Amino acid sequence: MSVPPKYRAIGDFHEYYSGTRVAPYLTLFVGGNHEASNHLWELYYGGWVAPNIYYLGAANVINVGPLRIASLSGIWKGYHYRKPHYERLPYGPDEIKSIYHVRELDTRKLLQMRTQVDVGISHDWPNGIEWKGNWKQLFRFKPHFEADAKSGRLGSIAATYVMDRLRPKWWFAAHLHCKFSAVVSHAQETDSSASTGPSSNANSVNVDKVVGNADEIDIKIDSEESPNEAPDPATDIRNDDEIDLDMDDDIPNAPKPPVAGAPSHADTEGALIETNDVSSDLRDQLPAAFARPAPTSTHCISIPEAITNKTTHFLALDKCLPNRRFLQILDMDPISDSPPADPTKPYSLTYDKEWLAITRTFASIDPFTSPIPPNLGESHYRSQIEAEEAWVEENLVKSGKMVVPENFEITAPIYDHRVGLHPKEHPREYTNPQTVAFCKMLEIHNFFDASEEEREERRVKAPPVANDGGRGGGRRGGGRGFAGRGRGRGRGNR
């Protein structure tokens, strides 16, 4: 887990993993930057991390009853966007961070969707979303966001691509440790580039009211707080055990003084644009090797006819800590044309036909291989996706195999509090039976499997574990802080 040693604690997830406790409600989540990334790596396509707790994978579209939910895990780092998922255990100090950076290949899959979804979920905020809400109030509460917002560096460009394409009715995110809501009017969007300034209606958006309803449970930061005013950062309630926003270099920090000659703007792919222009006459005198590469086409979002929604309601909530606004209850009416759901409640989790077809279309690409094959464009993939959709219909839909099986299994040893959480060795890599079953169902190759000999060879070559556990940390407690190796099925009611 990527977190400074002073903040590491075992928490209570191991109780859900072991079956000692069971989540009372079906819980879906995406991966962020403070996760046990090696555990989530096992479930690249999604899967149960504990009974009733489902990880949505690197990217996904899945159905909960009548709701169609699209998701994208990770946070934005432009220099890793086009790289493969090259990280394998044991992680080095760089890989433990890069593993949760969103990748173009996963985003590309979501951008092949051609039908309406109801909900979008990402960890990082979509880039530019701050200008669609009460940005003045946001910057009073989080002053160091302003410089990043104005330079276009706040949030995930990949999430913006997906939101602009799929146009769900709702979009939920986290990461920036504050409650914020906004409204995106897609009818007013003229291009897919992220905004670096307020929209025309930004001042009229009330952070607390835009997505509220009569049944909302609103956890206030301060009981004296006005509903229309964010708390003064100087008097905001703090927790000594909280991981501070500014200590994590994956979250926007306070603006730094500009460096002479340094690039200052980000383009839509996260690369930096040079500010020291050279005249074209002088550049023409240089040898051909010094010529600028031919410009690549800019990212253009096309909207399929079946995606008709014009307004997306965005909501981010605060950290789950005392006296923080981390909970809100919403009623949702689906706008997608998903297949009729079983009216029996609680709703079951079902696969999405179109998404399974997209998964099969891209299944031959090794996510670990460098370089990742270039994006050949929506028109190139369309016919293959349609053919794969027919395969899914014939082999899965008609066979009644679209319900996500409740097949959680324990893969790593369970945490033993008598040993503690300081690892004596690197955590081990496991092949998750859920991923094996998913790949078998779709008849695709499982790239997330390896022989024990290959895994052991990587572990032997790795440097020793640092005393503070800094080289990768331990999963669910780490290293030898476990007892037992069984693969018994997780127990508990759902």
Side-chain angles (χ1 to χ4, degrees):
M1 178 180 290
S2 177
V3 64
K6 64 180 283 189
Y7 292 108
R8 291 176 189 165
I10 190 59
D12 59 4
F13 173 72
H14 67 96
E15 298 177 21
Y16 295 93
Y17 177 74
S18 67
T20 303
R21 298 171 68 181
V22 178
Y25 303 102
L26 173 62
T27 303
L28 311 181
F29 74 99
V30 293
N33 55 314
H34 293 308
E35 318 290 357
S37 298
N38 52 329
H39 181 23
L40 302 187
W41 176 91
E42 298 176 11
L43 299 168
Y44 174 78
Y45 298 106
W48 304 101
V49 297
N52 230 16
I53 304 177
Y54 193 87
Y55 168 55
L56 290 166
N60 210 337
V61 177
I62 206 161
N63 302 313
V64 179
L67 286 176
R68 263 185 120 193
I69 300 173
S71 62
L72 181 66
S73 289
I75 66 170
W76 176 263
K77 287 291 181 182
Y79 48 85
H80 284 134
Y81 183 57
R82 298 192 181 281
K83 293 184 181 296
H85 288 281
Y86 60 84
E87 302 87 357
R88 296 291 293 266
L89 282 172
Y91 303 140
D94 295 328
E95 294 167 322
I96 199 173
K97 291 181 176 294
S98 65
I99 190 171
Y100 53 71
H101 294 161
V102 67
R103 300 307 210 267
E104 184 274 336
L105 178 61
D106 304 318
T107 309
R108 189 192 311 179
K109 296 175 189 176
L110 285 167
L111 296 179
Q112 306 311 309
M113 291 288 295
R114 298 184 60 82
T115 55
Q116 186 70 59
V117 301
D118 300 295
V119 177
I121 303 175
S122 61
H123 182 70
D124 214 348
W125 292 17
N127 180 246
I129 195 70
E130 65 275 13
W131 301 113
K132 306 297 183 179
N134 194 330
W135 50 273
K136 291 183 178 179
Q137 179 175 317
L138 176 67
F139 296 159
R140 284 198 302 269
F141 183 34
K142 299 286 187 180
H144 49 285
F145 286 4
E146 185 170 2
D148 281 337
K150 288 182 176 179
S151 64
R153 292 181 288 120
L154 189 68
S156 170
I157 294 171
T160 300
Y161 288 165
V162 177
M163 182 179 67
D164 287 348
R165 165 75 176 206
L166 303 189
R167 299 186 172 189
K169 184 176 182 180
W170 299 95
W171 190 282
F172 302 116
H175 191 51
L176 296 184
H177 304 175
C178 63
K179 182 179 180 181
F180 181 76
S181 62
V183 174
V184 179
S185 178
H186 298 290
Q188 297 177 359
E189 300 294 331
T190 57
D191 58 54
S192 62
S193 59
S195 172
T196 57
S199 60
S200 59
N201 66 341
N203 288 326
S204 64
V205 179
N206 185 298
V207 170
D208 292 314
K209 299 302 181 184
V210 77
V211 292
N213 63 42
D215 297 323
E216 173 186 348
I217 299 177
D218 192 4
I219 308 300
K220 298 297 184 183
I221 291 181
D222 190 322
S223 60
E224 301 298 323
E225 175 193 348
S226 167
N228 295 319
E229 286 294 325
D232 184 340
T235 60
D236 184 21
I237 293 176
R238 299 298 179 193
N239 183 316
D240 290 338
D241 296 325
E242 176 181 353
I243 300 175
D244 190 0
L245 201 68
D246 294 335
M247 70 88 198
D248 190 323
D249 61 6
D250 285 312
I251 300 176
N253 290 327
K256 299 177 177 60
V259 178
S264 60
H265 303 287
D267 69 6
T268 57
E269 298 297 340
L272 295 177
I273 300 173
E274 297 292 341
T275 58
N276 53 336
D277 294 332
V278 176
S279 70
S280 58
D281 292 339
L282 181 59
R283 189 174 295 278
D284 289 341
Q285 299 177 33
L286 296 173
F290 289 87
R292 281 176 171 159
T296 57
S297 59
T298 57
H299 194 93
C300 180
I301 301 291
S302 61
I303 309 301
E305 291 183 2
I307 298 178
T308 59
N309 184 46
K310 300 298 184 184
T311 303
T312 296
H313 299 271
F314 172 81
L315 176 64
L317 296 175
D318 205 342
K319 299 186 70 174
C320 189
L321 291 171
N323 301 308
R324 301 289 282 269
R325 300 190 294 179
F326 62 84
L327 179 63
Q328 185 159 322
I329 295 177
L330 300 170
D331 290 323
M332 296 184 185
D333 295 319
I335 59 173
S336 63
D337 294 325
S338 57
D342 183 348
T344 305
K345 296 182 180 180
Y347 290 130
S348 59
L349 200 60
T350 58
Y351 295 118
D352 187 87
K353 176 182 172 181
E354 185 178 6
W355 180 252
L356 292 184
I358 292 170
T359 301
R360 276 180 54 88
T361 298
F362 288 89
S364 62
I365 299 178
D366 184 346
F368 302 115
T369 299
S370 182
I372 291 292
N375 187 345
L376 300 178
E378 182 179 352
S379 59
H380 173 84
Y381 302 117
R382 178 51 30 205
S383 60
Q384 185 178 351
I385 292 173
E386 290 173 350
E388 297 297 357
E389 227 174 317
W391 185 94
V392 173
E393 175 70 25
E394 187 66 28
N395 292 276
L396 301 179
V397 176
K398 291 182 179 180
S399 302
K401 298 179 180 178
M402 296 296 283
V403 176
V404 176
E406 297 183 354
N407 58 348
F408 167 72
E409 291 189 31
I410 291 175
T411 52
I414 297 168
Y415 174 69
D416 185 351
H417 70 277
R418 297 169 299 181
V419 178
L421 55 81
H422 297 290
K424 304 295 190 302
E425 60 182 24
H426 291 289
R428 295 179 179 273
E429 182 180 286
Y430 299 94
T431 297
N432 198 294
Q434 296 178 71
T435 302
V436 172
F438 181 83
C439 292
K440 182 178 180 180
M441 177 187 74
L442 288 187
E443 298 182 7
I444 61 177
H445 180 69
N446 181 10
F447 290 103
F448 297 84
D449 188 18
S451 68
E452 290 302 319
E453 291 77 15
E454 177 186 343
R455 288 168 170 166
E456 186 62 24
E457 181 180 359
R458 287 201 307 270
R459 293 181 71 251
V460 169
K461 291 181 178 179
V465 177
N467 291 332
D468 63 0
R471 185 171 289 277
R475 184 177 96 186
R476 311 178 194 111
R480 293 176 180 166
F482 297 117
R485 286 292 308 275
R487 285 185 174 270
R489 186 175 301 277
R491 305 287 182 183
N493 298 324
R494 295 189 181 151

